[in-house]
C-alpha cells in the first residue's frame, strides 16, 4: 500500500513531477522483498495487483471533484455514482499491474540480474499499453474506437512536467514511461551499490535521448518563428 501511495505522488501535483524518477523505488524494494520471502507466484501477482489498485485509486481520485453528479436527481444514484465509477476504472486500469505481475513471474525477472533494467521496463510498458486498449473496449460506444486513448496512471504522464518530456518527441508516451522505469531501476541499483556502471550509463543514455528531443523541439520552434 505504501509503494502504491508513493507511486501516485507525481500525479497529485504538477510540482511533484520530479518524483517520477524515484517514486517507483519503494515498489522495487517491494519486489525484492517478495523475492527474498519466496512468496508463491499467485501471492506475488496478487500483491503486485494490490499495489496497482492503491496507486490507481489515489491517481484517479480527481473524479470526486467533478460536478457531474449534480445532474443526477435520485439521491441514492448520486451517492454511488462516483464510487462505483472509480471502482470500475481502477479495476480496468489495474489490469496492467495484473499483466505485469504475470509476466514478471513467467519471465522470472529479478532485480538481482542485469537484464532487469530492460525486461522490467518492457513488461511495465506492455501493461500500460494493453490496459489502455482494454479500457477503450470497455468504454466502447457508438462512434467510438478501440485504441490507446486512455492513459491515466501512465508513468510518462507523471514525468511530462520534467525535462525528460522532450524525449517523448523521439520515443512517444510509452517510450517515456520506459525511460522513467529505467531511471528508477538505475537509481535503485545505485542505492544498493549494484551494477553501478550499467546504472550510470542507463541514466546518461536517458539524458542524451531527452537532449536530442530538445534539439528537435528547439529546431522546430525556430523554423516556425521564421515562417
Amino acid at each position: 500500500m505504501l509503494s502504491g501511495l508513493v507511486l501516485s505522488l507525481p500525479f497529485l501535483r504538477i510540482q511533484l513531477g520530479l518524483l517520477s524518477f524515484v517514486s517507483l523505488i519503494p515498489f522495487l524494494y517491494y519486489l525484492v522483498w517478495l523475492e527474498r520471502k519466496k512468496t508463491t507466484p499467485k501471492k506475488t501477482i496478487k500483491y503486485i495487483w494490490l499495489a496497482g489498485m492503491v496507486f490507481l485509486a489515489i491517481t484517479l481520485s480527481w473524479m470526486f471533484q467533478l460536478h457531474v453528479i449534480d445532474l443526477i436527481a435520485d439521491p441514492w444514484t448520486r451517492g454511488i455514482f462516483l464510487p462505483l465509477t472509480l471502482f470500475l476504472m481502477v479495476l480496468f486500469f489495474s489490469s496492467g499491474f495484473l499483466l505485469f505481475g504475470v509476466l514478471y513471474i513467467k519471465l522470472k525477472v529479478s532485480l538481482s540480474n542485469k537484464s532487469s533494467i530492460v525486461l522490467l521496463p518492457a513488461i511495465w510498458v506492455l501493461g500500460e499499453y494493453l490496459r489502455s486498449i482494454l479500457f477503450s473496449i470497455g468504454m466502447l460506444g457508438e462512434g467510438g474506437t478501440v485504441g490507446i486513448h486512455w492513459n491515466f496512471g501512465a508513468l510518462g504522464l507523471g514525468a511530462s512536467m520534467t525535462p525528460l518530456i522532450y524525449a517523448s518527441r523521439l520515443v512517444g508516451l510509452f517510450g517515456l514511461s520506459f525511460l522513467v522505469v529505467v531511471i528508477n531501476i538505475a537509481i535503485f541499483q545505485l542505492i544498493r551499490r549494484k551494477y553501478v556502471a550499467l546504472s550510470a550509463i542507463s541514466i546518461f543514455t536517458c539524458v542524451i535521448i531527452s537532449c536530442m528531443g530538445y534539439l528537435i523541439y528547439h529546431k522546430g520552434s525556430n523554423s516556425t518563428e521564421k515562417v
Side-chain angles (χ1 to χ4, degrees):
M1 292 183 69
L2 179 60
S3 62
L5 171 62
V6 175
L7 190 57
S8 68
L9 293 179
F11 297 88
L12 299 180
R13 293 287 186 276
I14 293 176
Q15 296 85 349
L16 298 178
L18 287 173
L19 291 179
S20 298
F21 305 132
V22 295
S23 63
L24 194 62
I25 290 178
F27 182 76
L28 298 177
Y29 272 110
Y30 184 44
L31 293 180
V32 171
W33 178 77
L34 290 174
E35 186 177 339
R36 288 177 178 173
K37 195 179 178 183
K38 296 182 179 179
T39 310
T40 63
K42 286 186 177 180
K43 284 188 176 181
T44 297
I45 294 171
K46 182 178 69 175
Y47 293 152
I48 289 174
W49 193 12
L50 174 62
M53 286 192 283
V54 172
F55 161 59
L56 288 161
I58 298 172
T59 301
L60 296 171
S61 61
W62 52 264
M63 287 195 303
F64 287 98
Q65 300 177 14
L66 300 178
H67 296 286
V68 65
I69 59 172
D70 296 341
L71 303 175
I72 303 174
D74 181 66
W76 188 84
T77 304
R78 187 166 59 246
I80 68 167
F81 180 80
L82 286 180
L84 181 59
T85 301
L86 177 64
F87 172 77
L88 291 175
M89 289 185 70
V90 168
L91 196 61
F92 269 106
F93 282 104
S94 64
S95 62
F97 280 81
L98 182 59
L99 175 63
F100 172 86
V102 171
L103 292 177
Y104 178 80
I105 294 297
K106 294 294 183 182
L107 298 176
K108 298 181 180 180
V109 181
S110 174
L111 285 159
S112 298
N113 298 330
K114 290 182 178 181
S115 59
S116 64
I117 205 160
V118 174
L119 283 178
L120 202 147
I123 61 176
W124 183 282
V125 170
L126 181 61
E128 287 189 350
Y129 187 91
L130 293 181
R131 81 184 184 197
S132 180
I133 293 178
L134 178 62
F135 189 76
S136 72
I137 294 173
M139 296 295 292
L140 189 63
E142 185 178 352
T145 58
V146 175
I148 49 174
H149 312 309
W150 305 89
N151 298 297
F152 300 117
L155 296 189
L157 292 178
S160 61
M161 293 300 166
T162 71
L164 194 66
I165 184 60
Y166 295 109
S168 63
R169 289 184 166 266
L170 296 173
V171 299
L173 173 63
F174 295 106
L176 191 60
S177 291
F178 186 95
L179 296 182
V180 170
V181 180
V182 168
I183 291 174
N184 273 271
I185 294 175
I187 295 176
F188 172 74
Q189 299 292 24
L190 287 174
I191 292 173
R192 300 170 72 205
R193 297 182 182 179
K194 287 190 174 183
Y195 311 126
V196 174
L198 176 62
S199 299
I201 291 171
S202 299
I203 293 175
F204 180 73
T205 301
C206 293
V207 172
I208 291 298
I209 294 173
S210 183
C211 290
M212 290 172 62
Y214 174 76
L215 291 175
I216 294 173
Y217 163 76
H218 186 68
K219 185 177 179 180
S221 298
N222 288 340
S223 299
T224 303
E225 290 177 0
K226 290 178 180 179
V227 171

